[in-house]
Amino acid sequence: MKRFSSFASWRCPLYACALSLLVLCSPGCGSPDPVGREPTKPTTPSKPSKPAQEIKRPEGWSEASHGKDAKAYYDKVFSIKKVHRLDITIKSEDWKKMQEHMEKMLGESGQGGTGGPGGTGGPGGPGGMDLKALAEACQGKTEGKTCEVKMGARTMKGTCGKPPFGGASLFCMPAGGPGGPGGPGGPGGVGNPDKLVPEDPIYVPCSLKYGGKVWEHVGIRYKGNSSLSMGWRSGSKKLPFRLNMDKYESKYPDTKNQRFYGFKKLTFGNGFSDDTLMREVIASELFRAAGAPAARVAYYRIYIDHGMGSKYFGLYTMVEDPGGPMLKTQFKKDSGNLYKPSGNGAKLTKFDEADFPKKTNEDKKDWSDVKTFITTLLAERKDAKAWREKLEKLFNVDGFLRWIAMSNLMQHWDAYGTVPHNYYLYADPGDNNRIHWITWDHNMVMLSMRGFGGGTQLGLPNVDAKNWPLLGHLIADPVYRKTYNQYVDTFSKGVFATDKVVNRLKELHSMIHPYVTGKDGEQKGYTQLSKPEAFGKSVDTLKTHIESRQKAAAEYLKKLQP
C-alpha cells in the first residue's frame, strides 16, 4: 500500500505537467524554430471599434431638399414661371451686429458714407465719376436744386436729380457729363469701383423657410459694391445679400453639408439702379441664348423677421453662385479653378495673384492657368496667326466674342472695358483647362449712360488696348473682328430681335407687377425704385432702348458693306 501510495503521489504531478505542455506548446510544437525567430508574445484582445456616430438631422431634413449629394433642383429653385417666397428669421442681436458693422464701414444708413476717389478718363474721353462725390453734392438737397462737385482739377456744376441708372438717391447731374476736354478718347473709369465697400460684411446665422420646409443655422451677410453702398446711403432696407447653407456646420454638426435643393451658396440682388426689375433676368436669358455662360436667375419675395415680426423687404432676384452646380451644367467638368478677378489685375494688363482670388480649389496654390493665359494675351502679335493659335488653346475666344457682341447690342456699361470687375474666369478640365469667360451682374444693362462714360459703341472705335488688352487686342485682329461683326448681325436679327425681347419683357412684367406696386407691392423704406410710376412704364422704357440699339446695329452693319 505504501508503494501504491507513492506511485499515486508521483503520478499526479506528471499529469499536471502534461497538461501544461499542451497549453504552452504552439502549433508546430516539436519542430525546430526558424533561425532568429523571436518568441511569440501573448496578444491582448482588441476592443471592438465604435460605429461612426450618426448625425442627428433637424426635423424635416431630407436628402432631396437638404442633402449635399442631391441633384441641383433647377426646375424648382430657379423656376422663372412664378414668383417664389422665402422667409428669413434673424435673431435681434445678430441683426444688430449686421447693422453696426455696416455703420462702421459706411456710416449711418441714409446719411452717406465712405467711397473711393474718382477715376480718370481716357485721353480726351469722358472723365471718371466719383459716385460718392456726386451723391454727397446733393446731400440735404431736393431734386432740381443746383449743385457742384470737384472732379479732379475741375469743379463741375449741375443739378440734383435721379441718375440714368435709377435708384432713390439724388446725384449731382452734369450737363453733358463729367467728361474730359478734347476729342474722342477711351471710356473713363468709375471712381475706385472695387472699394466703395472696404471689406466684406459679416455673416450671422439665420433660418429659412421655403415651400413648407425649414433650413436652420444658415449664414447670411450683405453683399455687393455700388448696389450695397448706394442702397445703404439711400436709407433703404432693401439691400443685396447672400446665403451660405453650411456656414455654421462646425458649430452645428446637424447642418453639416447642408444644401438648398442642391445649392450651397445663393445671392440675392436688390434691383439697385433698375426701375424695371427685369434687367438681371432678361440679360441672363439673352447671354445664354447667345452662347455665353451666365448664371440662372429667379424672382423671390423676401420676408425678414429680425425680432419685430415678419416684414416684406421687397422683390429680389435670386442668382445662382457660379462656384456651384453651374460649373457642372454649363461646362464639361466642374473641378477646375474658378476666379473672381478684381482690382487693376482684372483689366488683364498683368498677373497679380492678389487680384485673382479663387472661388474653387482655394487650398491649391496654383494660378498657372490664368497666368499663362495673360502672358499669351500680352505676347508679341506680329505673327497674328501664331498668336491666335496659342491664345485659343488657352482661352475660349469665341465665347468672349459672343459675350462682347451681346453686351454691346444691349449696352452693358458696367463691365470689362469700363470697370475692372463683374466677371469670372473658369479653367474647364474637360476642355483641356481652357479658360472661359463668365458674365456677372447685369442690373445696369440696357441703359443709355450719357455723361457717365458707359455704353461702348458697337464699332468699338476707341478701345484703349493698353488698359483693356483682352478687348483691345481681339477687336484689333481682323479675324476676330470679322467674327464679332457676324455675331452682332446674327444676334440683332435673332435672340435680340425687338418683338421677341419685348414679348418676353411683357410676360415678366405681368408676373411680377403685383409684388412691386400696389397693396402687395414694395413699401417705402423697402424699395430701390425711384418712383412706382417708373416700374409701370418699364416695358416701354426698355422697348425704346432696344429699338435704339437695333437702329445703331443696322447703321453699323451697313457701313461694313462693300
Side-chain angles (χ1 to χ4, degrees), residues 10 17 30-32 62 78 87 140-141 155 166 170 215 252 265 328 339 377 382 398 410 482 484 493 498 526 529 543:
W10 172 82
C17 182
S31 60
S62 74
F78 282 100
D87 290 81
K141 296 186 177 183
T155 297
L170 293 179
W215 287 257
Y252 302 100
K265 297 178 181 180
K328 183 177 290 185
Y339 303 95
L377 171 67
K382 286 184 179 179
D398 184 74
M410 285 191 290
K482 182 178 180 181
Y484 164 79
K493 298 173 182 175
T498 302
Y526 298 84
L529 294 179
K543 180 182 179 181

Side-chain angles (χ1 to χ4, degrees), residues 479-500:
V479 174
Y480 293 150
R481 165 71 79 165
K482 182 178 180 181
T483 302
Y484 164 79
N485 291 339
Q486 289 172 344
Y487 284 142
V488 170
D489 186 23
T490 301
F491 298 160
S492 65
K493 298 173 182 175
V495 298
F496 196 61
T498 302
D499 289 345
K500 186 174 183 178

Side-chain angles (χ1 to χ4, degrees), residues 69 124 128 175 191 252 254 305 327 329 372-373 457 460 534-535 544:
D69 297 325
Y252 302 100
D254 57 344
D305 182 352
L327 298 182
T329 58
T372 304
F373 156 58
Q457 298 178 51
L460 298 165
F535 174 76
T544 299

Side-chain angles (χ1 to χ4, degrees), residues 27-199:
C29 185
S31 60
D33 285 341
V35 178
R37 177 175 175 177
E38 295 184 3
T40 304
K41 296 180 180 179
T43 58
T44 302
S46 60
K47 296 180 180 179
S49 58
K50 292 183 179 180
Q53 188 174 5
E54 184 177 351
I55 298 175
K56 186 178 180 180
R57 296 299 192 181
E59 185 179 352
W61 178 290
S62 74
E63 284 303 312
S65 57
H66 293 64
K68 177 184 178 182
D69 297 325
K71 185 178 180 181
Y73 202 164
Y74 278 98
D75 289 345
K76 183 178 185 68
V77 176
F78 282 100
S79 171
I80 197 64
K81 296 179 181 179
K82 68 174 185 177
V83 176
H84 306 251
R85 172 170 175 157
L86 181 67
D87 290 81
I88 302 173
T89 301
I90 306 172
K91 291 181 179 179
S92 58
E93 57 267 31
D94 290 327
W95 177 260
K96 184 179 179 182
K97 291 177 184 176
M98 292 177 73
Q99 310 315 305
E100 288 177 343
H101 187 243
M102 286 294 294
E103 289 177 0
K104 180 181 177 182
M105 293 190 296
L106 301 178
E108 187 178 349
S109 176
Q111 299 300 316
T114 60
T120 57
M129 61 172 176
D130 179 354
L131 295 177
K132 173 179 177 291
L134 293 174
E136 289 187 344
C138 290
Q139 195 70 41
K141 296 186 177 183
T142 58
E143 191 168 1
K145 294 293 184 181
T146 58
C147 57
E148 63 178 42
V149 60
K150 191 169 183 179
M151 307 290 276
R154 301 173 59 216
T155 297
M156 179 196 72
K157 294 184 178 182
T159 304
C160 293
K162 298 291 176 61
F165 44 77
S169 298
L170 293 179
F171 286 74
C172 190
M173 303 296 294
V190 179
N192 278 345
D194 288 313
K195 294 184 179 179
L196 295 176
V197 181
E199 61 185 73

Side-chain angles (χ1 to χ4, degrees), residues 97-278:
K97 291 177 184 176
M98 292 177 73
Q99 310 315 305
E100 288 177 343
H101 187 243
M102 286 294 294
E103 289 177 0
K104 180 181 177 182
M105 293 190 296
L106 301 178
E108 187 178 349
S109 176
Q111 299 300 316
T114 60
T120 57
M129 61 172 176
D130 179 354
L131 295 177
K132 173 179 177 291
L134 293 174
E136 289 187 344
C138 290
Q139 195 70 41
K141 296 186 177 183
T142 58
E143 191 168 1
K145 294 293 184 181
T146 58
C147 57
E148 63 178 42
V149 60
K150 191 169 183 179
M151 307 290 276
R154 301 173 59 216
T155 297
M156 179 196 72
K157 294 184 178 182
T159 304
C160 293
K162 298 291 176 61
F165 44 77
S169 298
L170 293 179
F171 286 74
C172 190
M173 303 296 294
V190 179
N192 278 345
D194 288 313
K195 294 184 179 179
L196 295 176
V197 181
E199 61 185 73
D200 284 344
I202 61 169
Y203 271 106
V204 300
C206 71
S207 66
L208 310 178
K209 184 177 180 181
Y210 173 77
K213 289 185 174 291
V214 175
W215 287 257
E216 299 285 358
H217 311 305
V218 176
I220 183 172
R221 74 165 176 84
Y222 292 125
K223 77 161 195 80
N225 189 47
S226 57
S227 59
L228 178 57
S229 63
M230 293 301 156
W232 180 265
R233 188 186 306 281
S234 73
S236 173
K237 295 291 191 298
K238 187 187 179 186
L239 300 174
F241 65 93
R242 67 169 52 245
L243 299 175
N244 187 328
M245 301 307 296
D246 61 1
K247 173 69 177 179
Y248 295 102
E249 64 179 9
S250 59
K251 186 175 182 180
Y252 302 100
D254 57 344
T255 63
K256 184 176 178 62
N257 293 325
Q258 181 171 238
R259 299 291 186 268
F260 186 80
Y261 287 102
F263 296 89
K264 178 179 179 178
K265 297 178 181 180
L266 294 165
T267 66
F268 292 78
N270 63 339
F272 166 72
S273 80
D274 182 12
D275 280 338
T276 76
L277 293 179
M278 295 184 286

